[in-house]
Amino acid sequence: MPGGCSRGPAAGDARLRLARLALVLLGWVSSSSLTSSATSSTSSTSFLASAVSAQPPLPGQCPAPCECSEAARTVKCVNRNLTEVPADLPPYVRNLFLTGNQLVVLPSGAFARGPPLAELAALNLSGSLLNRVEAGAFERLPSLRQLDLSHNPLANLSRFAFSGGNASVSAPSPLVELILNHILPPDEEVLQNRSFEGIVAAALRAGQALRGLRRLELTSNHFLYLPRDLLAHLPGLRHLDLRNNSLVGLTYVAFRNLTHLETLHLEDNALKVLHNSTLAELQGLPQVRVFLDNNPWVCDCNMVDMVNWLKETEIVQDKARLTCAFPEKMRNLVLLELNSSDLNCDPILPPSLQTSYVFLGIVLALIGAIFLLVLYLNRKGIKKWMHNIRDACRDHMEGYHYRYEINADPRLTNLSSNSDV
């Protein structure tokens, strides 16, 4: 037993040393594993960073020359001298402003993207020096509701600009509001003898693509007339703005199919009188409000029907401000205060027209004097020419007379039939 007691402490010391050695070894292994794990973590992090930096820009990012607000779904590329539509527009854009640039040409499919700009609802291209808009320029914009092309010299507006390359098979345009204010080119020679009114009318009626249009603005375009079928394919129109043009009459334009028309602006034109056919069509529209201020109304006998109509109708909102421009003695008289006896068909011409007629008379008199002078200087030649004509006519008549005598005398008839002459 004493021997067993003497071995116990030595065995315990040995076990303690082994335990300490095991703890040292375990600490070394854990530290090396932590170091290796940290190293692998650092390398994986650097790999992910390099992978992310190598990726192309996300489609939701903003083009370099533009300002974007994803919260407002708006992109503004204003006064950036862009020559084409940016290719990397974010797909979330709902309102796009491309004003004050140098686009010049808007080609077919100018906004076709992948992914498409499916939410784009309002597009403003005003003041961007656009000269030509090609067919199908606004294709693949299924949500486009408002389009502003104002203040661009549109000398070449394709008839299929709003309806696609083939209007007969293309879907109707989603446009609800179309703004075409001040789009007349400053140099009319670029129109190549084409009527600007006709160019605009062809684009509005092509393929009936704009049947859903509700607002149309055509102000400050120097329109002299409205083509006969300009409004024929716009049955849903509610607001028509034709202010500040040069319209002299509305005789050939038809309003009868615009049953939903609510406002018609005709201020600041050159209207002189509205005839009975136009008055009847306007009166037939159930909810229209018409504005006619600042037109040079001619107060003669042709104005009687219009004055009577103004006194009865309620659709003309500014009728109390309508005044005469001609004749001079009736200038600034209010139309509603006129009676039929005040209107006669012997208006005094304005001084400008009187001067024109005097100048025309002087020119015609000068032309007549030159013609008489030419006749006087060539009187001998003319006299000789008249004598020659007289002699020729005399010889001709003598021949007819000779044949008549032969046919009237049977003896001469037989003689001439038996003769070899």
mmCIF file of all heavy atoms in Angstrom, residues 294-310:
data_model
loop_
_atom_site.group_PDB
_atom_site.id
_atom_site.type_symbol
_atom_site.label_atom_id
_atom_site.label_comp_id
_atom_site.label_asym_id
_atom_site.label_seq_id
_atom_site.Cartn_x
_atom_site.Cartn_y
_atom_site.Cartn_z
ATOM 1 N N ASN A 294 -60.599 90.408 -79.711
ATOM 2 C CA ASN A 294 -59.455 90.919 -80.489
ATOM 3 C C ASN A 294 -59.434 90.410 -81.931
ATOM 4 O O ASN A 294 -58.414 89.923 -82.422
ATOM 5 C CB ASN A 294 -58.135 90.572 -79.799
ATOM 6 C CG ASN A 294 -57.936 91.325 -78.503
ATOM 7 O OD1 ASN A 294 -58.442 92.432 -78.343
ATOM 8 N ND2 ASN A 294 -57.229 90.729 -77.570
ATOM 9 N N ASN A 295 -60.579 90.534 -82.601
ATOM 10 C CA ASN A 295 -60.671 90.267 -84.036
ATOM 11 C C ASN A 295 -61.190 91.528 -84.726
ATOM 12 O O ASN A 295 -62.014 92.252 -84.155
ATOM 13 C CB ASN A 295 -61.606 89.088 -84.317
ATOM 14 C CG ASN A 295 -60.931 87.751 -84.094
ATOM 15 O OD1 ASN A 295 -60.141 87.286 -84.904
ATOM 16 N ND2 ASN A 295 -61.243 87.120 -82.956
ATOM 17 N N PRO A 296 -60.744 91.817 -85.961
ATOM 18 C CA PRO A 296 -61.155 93.063 -86.650
ATOM 19 C C PRO A 296 -62.525 92.923 -87.309
ATOM 20 O O PRO A 296 -62.639 92.815 -88.532
ATOM 21 C CB PRO A 296 -60.041 93.254 -87.693
ATOM 22 C CG PRO A 296 -59.601 91.867 -88.018
ATOM 23 C CD PRO A 296 -59.722 91.083 -86.750
ATOM 24 N N TRP A 297 -63.586 92.953 -86.519
ATOM 25 C CA TRP A 297 -64.936 92.769 -87.040
ATOM 26 C C TRP A 297 -65.332 93.928 -87.945
ATOM 27 O O TRP A 297 -65.151 95.085 -87.601
ATOM 28 C CB TRP A 297 -65.927 92.638 -85.887
ATOM 29 C CG TRP A 297 -65.580 91.549 -84.925
ATOM 30 C CD1 TRP A 297 -65.127 91.695 -83.659
ATOM 31 C CD2 TRP A 297 -65.648 90.143 -85.167
ATOM 32 N NE1 TRP A 297 -64.907 90.482 -83.078
ATOM 33 C CE2 TRP A 297 -65.210 89.496 -83.978
ATOM 34 C CE3 TRP A 297 -66.023 89.359 -86.252
ATOM 35 C CZ2 TRP A 297 -65.152 88.115 -83.853
ATOM 36 C CZ3 TRP A 297 -65.958 87.975 -86.129
ATOM 37 C CH2 TRP A 297 -65.532 87.365 -84.958
ATOM 38 N N VAL A 298 -65.878 93.590 -89.123
ATOM 39 C CA VAL A 298 -66.350 94.592 -90.088
ATOM 40 C C VAL A 298 -67.855 94.746 -89.920
ATOM 41 O O VAL A 298 -68.622 93.814 -90.195
ATOM 42 C CB VAL A 298 -66.005 94.172 -91.530
ATOM 43 C CG1 VAL A 298 -66.562 95.185 -92.526
ATOM 44 C CG2 VAL A 298 -64.495 94.043 -91.698
ATOM 45 N N CYS A 299 -68.284 95.905 -89.487
ATOM 46 C CA CYS A 299 -69.688 96.130 -89.151
ATOM 47 C C CYS A 299 -70.435 96.691 -90.359
ATOM 48 O O CYS A 299 -70.667 97.908 -90.461
ATOM 49 C CB CYS A 299 -69.798 97.064 -87.946
ATOM 50 S SG CYS A 299 -69.107 96.360 -86.443
ATOM 51 N N ASP A 300 -70.790 95.818 -91.279
ATOM 52 C CA ASP A 300 -71.630 96.193 -92.415
ATOM 53 C C ASP A 300 -72.867 95.314 -92.411
ATOM 54 O O ASP A 300 -73.164 94.646 -91.419
ATOM 55 C CB ASP A 300 -70.842 96.097 -93.727
ATOM 56 C CG ASP A 300 -70.291 94.703 -93.965
ATOM 57 O OD1 ASP A 300 -70.689 93.773 -93.225
ATOM 58 O OD2 ASP A 300 -69.465 94.533 -94.876
ATOM 59 N N CYS A 301 -73.591 95.280 -93.525
ATOM 60 C CA CYS A 301 -74.848 94.537 -93.559
ATOM 61 C C CYS A 301 -74.642 93.032 -93.394
ATOM 62 O O CYS A 301 -75.576 92.311 -93.028
ATOM 63 C CB CYS A 301 -75.609 94.835 -94.845
ATOM 64 S SG CYS A 301 -74.730 94.334 -96.343
ATOM 65 N N ASN A 302 -73.438 92.530 -93.660
ATOM 66 C CA ASN A 302 -73.173 91.104 -93.478
ATOM 67 C C ASN A 302 -73.063 90.717 -92.013
ATOM 68 O O ASN A 302 -73.012 89.525 -91.685
ATOM 69 C CB ASN A 302 -71.871 90.728 -94.199
ATOM 70 C CG ASN A 302 -71.965 90.928 -95.693
ATOM 71 O OD1 ASN A 302 -72.923 90.492 -96.328
ATOM 72 N ND2 ASN A 302 -70.977 91.603 -96.272
ATOM 73 N N MET A 303 -73.014 91.702 -91.139
ATOM 74 C CA MET A 303 -72.869 91.454 -89.716
ATOM 75 C C MET A 303 -74.216 91.333 -89.001
ATOM 76 O O MET A 303 -74.262 90.981 -87.817
ATOM 77 C CB MET A 303 -72.038 92.590 -89.095
ATOM 78 C CG MET A 303 -71.741 92.499 -87.619
ATOM 79 S SD MET A 303 -70.756 91.075 -87.123
ATOM 80 C CE MET A 303 -69.150 91.540 -87.765
ATOM 81 N N VAL A 304 -75.315 91.573 -89.702
ATOM 82 C CA VAL A 304 -76.630 91.599 -89.054
ATOM 83 C C VAL A 304 -76.935 90.279 -88.355
ATOM 84 O O VAL A 304 -77.330 90.249 -87.180
ATOM 85 C CB VAL A 304 -77.723 91.932 -90.091
ATOM 86 C CG1 VAL A 304 -79.104 91.797 -89.467
ATOM 87 C CG2 VAL A 304 -77.522 93.334 -90.644
ATOM 88 N N ASP A 305 -76.751 89.156 -89.059
ATOM 89 C CA ASP A 305 -77.077 87.853 -88.474
ATOM 90 C C ASP A 305 -76.194 87.552 -87.272
ATOM 91 O O ASP A 305 -76.666 87.000 -86.272
ATOM 92 C CB ASP A 305 -76.928 86.751 -89.527
ATOM 93 C CG ASP A 305 -77.953 86.881 -90.638
ATOM 94 O OD1 ASP A 305 -79.064 87.367 -90.357
ATOM 95 O OD2 ASP A 305 -77.640 86.503 -91.785
ATOM 96 N N MET A 306 -74.931 87.897 -87.355
ATOM 97 C CA MET A 306 -74.027 87.614 -86.240
ATOM 98 C C MET A 306 -74.383 88.448 -85.016
ATOM 99 O O MET A 306 -74.354 87.954 -83.880
ATOM 100 C CB MET A 306 -72.580 87.860 -86.659
ATOM 101 C CG MET A 306 -71.580 87.588 -85.558
ATOM 102 S SD MET A 306 -69.872 87.810 -86.068
ATOM 103 C CE MET A 306 -69.028 87.683 -84.487
ATOM 104 N N VAL A 307 -74.735 89.722 -85.235
ATOM 105 C CA VAL A 307 -75.111 90.580 -84.110
ATOM 106 C C VAL A 307 -76.365 90.033 -83.424
ATOM 107 O O VAL A 307 -76.429 89.958 -82.186
ATOM 108 C CB VAL A 307 -75.317 92.028 -84.585
ATOM 109 C CG1 VAL A 307 -75.969 92.866 -83.490
ATOM 110 C CG2 VAL A 307 -73.986 92.646 -84.989
ATOM 111 N N ASN A 308 -77.356 89.647 -84.208
ATOM 112 C CA ASN A 308 -78.576 89.076 -83.625
ATOM 113 C C ASN A 308 -78.274 87.783 -82.869
ATOM 114 O O ASN A 308 -78.855 87.524 -81.804
ATOM 115 C CB ASN A 308 -79.603 88.819 -84.728
ATOM 116 C CG ASN A 308 -80.106 90.111 -85.354
ATOM 117 O OD1 ASN A 308 -80.098 91.169 -84.721
ATOM 118 N ND2 ASN A 308 -80.535 90.043 -86.604
ATOM 119 N N TRP A 309 -77.372 86.974 -83.413
ATOM 120 C CA TRP A 309 -76.997 85.721 -82.752
ATOM 121 C C TRP A 309 -76.278 85.993 -81.433
ATOM 122 O O TRP A 309 -76.543 85.321 -80.424
ATOM 123 C CB TRP A 309 -76.114 84.916 -83.703
ATOM 124 C CG TRP A 309 -75.587 83.641 -83.124
ATOM 125 C CD1 TRP A 309 -76.268 82.474 -82.908
ATOM 126 C CD2 TRP A 309 -74.236 83.396 -82.672
ATOM 127 N NE1 TRP A 309 -75.434 81.526 -82.359
ATOM 128 C CE2 TRP A 309 -74.179 82.066 -82.204
ATOM 129 C CE3 TRP A 309 -73.087 84.177 -82.631
ATOM 130 C CZ2 TRP A 309 -73.007 81.500 -81.701
ATOM 131 C CZ3 TRP A 309 -71.919 83.620 -82.144
ATOM 132 C CH2 TRP A 309 -71.885 82.296 -81.679
ATOM 133 N N LEU A 310 -75.392 86.986 -81.414
ATOM 134 C CA LEU A 310 -74.679 87.316 -80.188
ATOM 135 C C LEU A 310 -75.630 87.773 -79.084
ATOM 136 O O LEU A 310 -75.418 87.494 -77.901
ATOM 137 C CB LEU A 310 -73.642 88.411 -80.456
ATOM 138 C CG LEU A 310 -72.388 88.005 -81.232
ATOM 139 C CD1 LEU A 310 -71.553 89.230 -81.555
ATOM 140 C CD2 LEU A 310 -71.566 86.995 -80.446
#
